[in-house]
Amino acid sequence: MMNKITDNVFWVGKNDDRKVPFHRLILERGTTYNSYLLTTEKPTVIDTVDIAFAKEYVDRLSEHIDLNTIEYIVINHVEPDHAGALPALAARAKNAKIVATQIGSELLKDMFKLHNREFVIVHDGDKLDIGGKTLQFFETPYLHTEETMVTYSIEDKALFPCDIFSTHIANTELFNDLAQGEYIEDFKVYYQLIMAPHRPYVRDMLKKISNLEIEIIAPSHGYILRENVNDFIRMYDEMSSLGDSASSKKVTIVFSTMTGNTSKIAGKLAEGLKEVGIEPYVFNLKNSNLDEVLDRIKISDGVLIGSSTKYGDMVGNVEELLQALKDVDASGKFAAAFGSFGWSGEGITHIENYLNDSGFTVVTQKYLILNRGIDSPAFPLRIKFSNEAGLNIAQEAGKIFGEQVLTH
């Protein structure tokens, strides 16, 4: 089915009215996979549909356009519910060039064996003339994976943001002003489940689109927003804003170091926490009073404990602190381990064991993947000496830890 969105822009997606399994959830109201065809001088497709409907999608699309005339296929996000039909489409749209971010192109090549296809790599602000319309691209990493971007049609004043501004509701009305039932709460729930774990990147995205004149938001799931469009942007702004809540959150960083490398890591973690609005309290156990440190941890929402590694063990009096933490009420408190190493690095594993035994919610890579959709190896943070790349990772890890504290 082809439905007109605006001049030469058509919806060519799939309405999935099943109870859809999705990210270990069941979408009780189903969903849509929204794909868009721009019938310009250089015909362009923006995103495809779920891999399960690839053949149906391509067959239906071929009823409306000679697939060999398609000039560009824009892929904003590589997940199978958006890019899943790309191999089937590319196989029949043999002349089409694939438009994606650098990371997106690499993923698509490997996922779908498209190494021999021509790609157009785009970066923030890049424009593409598709003959009668101009597309502009903005990178929006981690919304909700690293390669994601959004596409803006300048002449149409239409934003194609893939997962951003989406809603999981199967519908045939297409537009939000024609909705037959309540959908605002579903819109907010979608944000909380998919976007909220990446709040800083939502803020970055909002800044990037703030100067665009947007009259239509055409996402990849649910309703196309053409009524009260600014209200939906405002909702994202409000839901991603912390107001005064950040200033009330506290994180304590405690460490012991041999040569100063772990101290540098602690400093970068503190910088990352500050970036998300948390003021950290930093203690070097070599010259800190243990009771004072414990008192600070008791009133904190999170604690980061670090140690260098010597002979496969922690250094200084880190273990003394960890033993004392067994008497601290750790309910609702986040914790993580960090440290530097030279030839080994077992110190952080001992810290983690103590933190788990004491009842903290320990932030690890497993925790971040399962609970927040973050697959970067942030914690436990184990950095060899204190090279620049490692310190950059530490700063990002501070932001990630801070977000866990802020959003719980």
Side-chain angles (χ1 to χ4, degrees), residues 150-254:
V150 300
T151 301
Y152 176 66
S153 177
I154 294 174
E155 290 77 11
D156 299 308
K157 300 177 183 177
L159 184 70
F160 301 88
C162 203
D163 272 330
I164 306 165
F165 300 111
S166 281
T167 310
H168 280 311
I169 296 179
N171 73 87
T172 56
E173 306 96 284
L174 200 61
F175 299 101
N176 68 315
D177 54 300
L178 302 178
Q180 296 299 305
E182 159 59 29
Y183 67 93
I184 298 297
E185 282 307 308
D186 295 86
F187 178 86
K188 292 178 179 178
V189 168
Y190 184 100
Y191 172 87
Q192 293 299 334
L193 291 175
I194 306 297
M195 297 297 159
H198 311 282
R199 186 195 65 84
Y201 300 101
V202 175
R203 304 302 302 166
D204 291 343
M205 177 274 298
L206 290 171
K207 289 178 186 175
K208 289 183 180 184
I209 69 169
S210 62
N211 292 323
L212 302 179
E213 191 174 353
I214 301 172
E215 294 183 354
I216 296 173
I217 297 178
S220 283
H221 296 296
Y223 291 108
I224 295 169
L225 308 173
R226 67 179 182 184
E227 181 178 70
N228 301 323
V229 170
N230 288 330
D231 286 351
F232 294 94
I233 297 173
R234 177 182 50 77
M235 276 190 266
Y236 260 56
D237 186 27
E238 291 174 352
M239 290 187 291
S240 64
S241 296
L242 294 169
D244 296 329
S245 64
S247 61
S248 65
K249 298 287 188 177
K250 305 174 181 66
V251 169
T252 297
I253 302 174
V254 193

Side-chain angles (χ1 to χ4, degrees), residues 51-320:
I51 192 170
F53 305 104
K55 184 179 186 304
E56 174 188 344
Y57 166 76
V58 173
D59 286 347
R60 286 186 177 179
L61 189 60
S62 68
E63 296 172 4
H64 301 288
I65 187 172
D66 179 351
L67 300 183
N68 282 315
T69 66
I70 294 175
E71 189 86 12
Y72 298 107
I73 304 170
V74 176
I75 300 295
N76 285 315
H77 174 39
V78 305
E79 273 198 308
D81 55 328
H82 309 289
L86 175 62
L89 178 57
R92 293 176 62 181
K94 298 182 183 299
N95 300 313
K97 295 176 274 295
I98 301 167
V99 182
T101 62
Q102 180 66 54
I103 297 173
S105 70
E106 293 166 3
L107 290 169
L108 291 169
K109 288 174 185 177
D110 291 339
M111 287 170 60
F112 299 130
K113 300 186 179 357
L114 294 169
H115 298 87
N116 294 325
R117 291 302 290 254
E118 183 178 352
F119 278 76
V120 177
I121 308 302
V122 294
H123 305 88
D124 258 338
D126 283 355
K127 295 178 181 179
L128 179 66
D129 180 359
I130 61 170
K133 295 184 188 292
T134 307
L135 301 182
Q136 189 169 19
F137 307 96
F138 299 92
E139 295 181 81
T140 54
Y142 300 108
L143 296 181
H144 56 112
T145 50
E146 187 178 8
E147 83 295 341
T148 308
M149 68 178 186
V150 300
T151 301
Y152 176 66
S153 177
I154 294 174
E155 290 77 11
D156 299 308
K157 300 177 183 177
L159 184 70
F160 301 88
C162 203
D163 272 330
I164 306 165
F165 300 111
S166 281
T167 310
H168 280 311
I169 296 179
N171 73 87
T172 56
E173 306 96 284
L174 200 61
F175 299 101
N176 68 315
D177 54 300
L178 302 178
Q180 296 299 305
E182 159 59 29
Y183 67 93
I184 298 297
E185 282 307 308
D186 295 86
F187 178 86
K188 292 178 179 178
V189 168
Y190 184 100
Y191 172 87
Q192 293 299 334
L193 291 175
I194 306 297
M195 297 297 159
H198 311 282
R199 186 195 65 84
Y201 300 101
V202 175
R203 304 302 302 166
D204 291 343
M205 177 274 298
L206 290 171
K207 289 178 186 175
K208 289 183 180 184
I209 69 169
S210 62
N211 292 323
L212 302 179
E213 191 174 353
I214 301 172
E215 294 183 354
I216 296 173
I217 297 178
S220 283
H221 296 296
Y223 291 108
I224 295 169
L225 308 173
R226 67 179 182 184
E227 181 178 70
N228 301 323
V229 170
N230 288 330
D231 286 351
F232 294 94
I233 297 173
R234 177 182 50 77
M235 276 190 266
Y236 260 56
D237 186 27
E238 291 174 352
M239 290 187 291
S240 64
S241 296
L242 294 169
D244 296 329
S245 64
S247 61
S248 65
K249 298 287 188 177
K250 305 174 181 66
V251 169
T252 297
I253 302 174
V254 193
F255 68 93
S256 188
T257 184
M258 291 189 299
T259 61
N261 290 321
T262 301
S263 177
K264 293 178 183 177
I265 297 169
K268 287 295 182 180
L269 285 167
E271 287 183 30
L273 288 167
K274 289 177 182 177
E275 281 190 49
V276 297
I278 293 178
E279 186 64 32
Y281 298 94
V282 183
F283 295 92
N284 184 338
L285 283 173
K286 182 179 180 180
N287 49 31
S288 298
N289 179 278
L290 190 59
D291 289 334
E292 181 185 351
V293 173
L294 287 168
D295 287 342
R296 178 59 65 180
I297 291 173
K298 289 175 184 177
I299 63 170
S300 293
D301 302 283
V303 59
L304 292 162
I305 298 182
S307 174
S308 307
T309 295
K310 182 180 180 182
Y311 300 136
D313 207 349
M314 299 169 286
V315 302
N317 54 346
V318 172
E319 190 159 20
E320 182 183 356

